[in-house]
Amino acid sequence: MVISSDRLGGLGGPDIWVSTRPGRGQPWTAPVNLGSPVNSEFQEATPIITDDGRYLLFGRHFLHGEELIRGRLRLRGVGGGRRHQQNGDKQGSAESH
């Protein structure tokens, strides 16, 4: 599960966090901040994982605009064994100058 939260331990405004569980009926792990380059000093929000599990999509809100980010997502293991990769493919932007 991916969430956006401004909980303690973030890099700025709301960040993207991930929680996993080994199987149905099992408890979710404590959320882990995905860190940089996924998160930044700006506000990351509305995260979703595509149905095929390959991409993480989320919005990044700047002072003068926002953009949609698509990154390849690789999560391995549960808990501390998790790794991720985010390519930072910008799919579009909506800027207000």
Side-chain angles (χ1 to χ4, degrees):
M1 159 176 35
V2 290
I3 60 171
S4 175
S5 173
D6 61 356
R7 61 190 295 141
L8 291 176
L11 300 180
D15 283 344
I16 307 297
W17 299 75
V18 67
S19 177
T20 59
R21 65 181 181 174
R24 282 186 176 232
Q26 299 293 317
W28 291 93
T29 62
V32 174
N33 188 298
L34 288 180
S36 178
V38 172
N39 292 310
S40 70
E41 70 272 16
F42 301 108
Q43 298 177 5
E44 286 74 35
T46 323
I48 61 167
I49 297 174
T50 56
D51 287 343
D52 63 9
R54 294 179 55 202
Y55 295 101
L56 170 67
L57 306 174
F58 62 95
R60 178 168 291 147
H61 303 278
F62 298 94
L63 183 60
H64 297 290
E66 57 189 22
E67 59 188 1
L68 175 64
I69 307 290
R70 179 186 77 174
R72 286 182 186 241
L73 184 67
R74 294 184 182 143
L75 300 176
R76 293 187 198 110
V78 176
R82 180 182 300 97
R83 294 182 184 190
H84 70 276
Q85 174 182 340
Q86 194 260 351
N87 289 344
D89 298 336
K90 294 179 184 176
Q91 292 300 304
S93 64
E95 299 185 353
S96 57
H97 294 283

